[in-house]
């Protein structure tokens, strides 16, 4: 039993980011592949949301890596509290995150559905992030945390993981060029 538990722990550690507890890049790739296959077979939408924290380096430089780590952990906590049961929060590296909106189970409440508007998604995620209070930053915090990102949705934006991630990344870069706290979406969204 001890060996089985140890193997289970090691397997989990191989797929999780040790700092935040989010799924890591390796897990993200597997999750996206599997979720996309399911979405295709069930003829359902799947959205990949890629973003990073605006101006994260100055937080680290001014308040130290401990505060930066606290921001990253708080980000995952907020995202985990907002997403649905079968959606996935992944840390791709540094301050870059991805959410795979792949909840293919029954709808949680009558009338609920896959997130399909940037307004709903922005309200649900960005507002929570804007409201974050990180004690490690103290009273000298330079303001609200904001994110900039891009969304890509199957089937409109691509039908394979590489295409969806590439388009979401390109849109995240467009958001950065437009300024802070921006999302860029495409024709698959309303």
């Amino acid at each position: 039993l001890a060996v089985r538990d140890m193997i289970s722990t090691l397997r989990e550690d191989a797929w999780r980011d040790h700092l935040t507890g989010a799924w890591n890049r390796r897990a993200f790739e597997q999750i996206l592949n599997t979720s996309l296959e399911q979405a295709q077979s069930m003829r359902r939408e799947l959205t990949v949301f890629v973003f990073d924290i605006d101006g994260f380096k100055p937080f680290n430089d001014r308040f130290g890596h401990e505060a930066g780590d606290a921001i990253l952990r708080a980000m995952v906590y907020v995202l985990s509290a907002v997403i649905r049961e079968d959606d996935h929060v992944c840390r791709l590296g540094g301050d870059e995150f991805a959410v795979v909106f792949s909840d293919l189970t029954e709808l949680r409440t009558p009338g609920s559905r896959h997130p399909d508007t940037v307004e709903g998604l922005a309200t649900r995620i960005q507002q929570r992030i804007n409201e974050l209070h990180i004690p490690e930053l103290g009273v000298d915090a330079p303001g609200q945390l904001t994110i900039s990102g891009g969304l890509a949705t199957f089937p409109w934006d691509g039908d394979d993981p590489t295409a969806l991630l590439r388009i979401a990344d390109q849109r995240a870069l467009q958001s950065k060029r437009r300024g802070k706290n921006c999302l860029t979406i495409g024709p698959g969204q309303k």
Side-chain angles (χ1 to χ4, degrees):
L1 290 175
V3 170
R4 186 183 71 201
D5 290 344
M6 182 177 68
I7 290 171
S8 177
T9 300
L10 289 171
R11 187 171 287 132
E12 181 78 10
D13 288 348
W15 295 94
R16 292 281 186 180
D17 173 59
H18 73 281
L19 176 65
T20 65
W23 296 107
N24 63 23
R25 177 86 186 211
R26 176 186 302 137
F28 166 75
E29 292 168 357
Q30 182 63 44
I31 288 165
L32 184 56
N33 281 326
T34 302
S35 297
L36 185 57
E37 287 172 7
Q38 291 173 340
Q40 288 169 334
S41 70
M42 297 173 75
R43 300 178 60 99
R44 307 252 330 240
E45 298 171 355
L46 177 136
T47 299
V48 177
F49 176 33
V50 175
F51 66 92
D52 64 13
I53 302 168
D54 296 322
F56 182 68
K57 186 176 179 341
F59 283 104
N60 259 345
D61 292 347
R62 184 169 177 192
F63 299 99
H65 290 286
E66 188 175 307
D69 291 350
I71 290 170
L72 297 174
R73 284 190 296 270
M75 186 74 67
V76 170
Y77 176 79
V78 165
L79 290 169
S80 297
V82 172
I83 64 170
R84 298 164 303 171
E85 184 176 331
D86 290 332
D87 295 336
H88 299 86
V89 175
C90 308
R91 181 177 177 210
L92 302 181
D95 66 324
E96 185 177 14
F97 292 88
V99 179
V100 179
F101 290 101
S102 61
D103 189 351
L104 302 173
T105 59
E106 292 294 319
L107 300 177
R108 291 190 308 174
T109 58
S112 70
R113 52 183 284 186
H114 185 81
D116 63 355
T117 65
V118 69
E119 294 84 10
L121 190 56
T123 299
R124 197 166 73 156
I125 292 176
Q126 286 186 306
Q127 183 179 25
R128 290 275 185 94
I129 291 169
N130 289 343
E131 295 169 353
L132 271 177
H133 297 287
I134 312 294
E136 289 82 355
L137 300 182
V139 296
D140 295 328
Q144 294 177 321
L145 288 176
T146 60
I147 60 171
S148 293
L151 292 94
T153 299
F154 164 80
W156 299 279
D157 296 320
D159 60 1
D160 67 80
T162 302
L164 288 173
L165 181 58
R166 184 182 67 250
I167 289 170
D169 274 337
Q170 289 170 349
R171 291 179 178 157
L173 288 172
Q174 290 173 7
S175 293
K176 284 288 186 190
R177 290 184 193 114
R178 289 185 9 226
K180 294 182 178 181
N181 208 25
C182 294
L183 294 179
T184 302
I185 60 172
Q189 299 288 323
K190 296 176 184 162

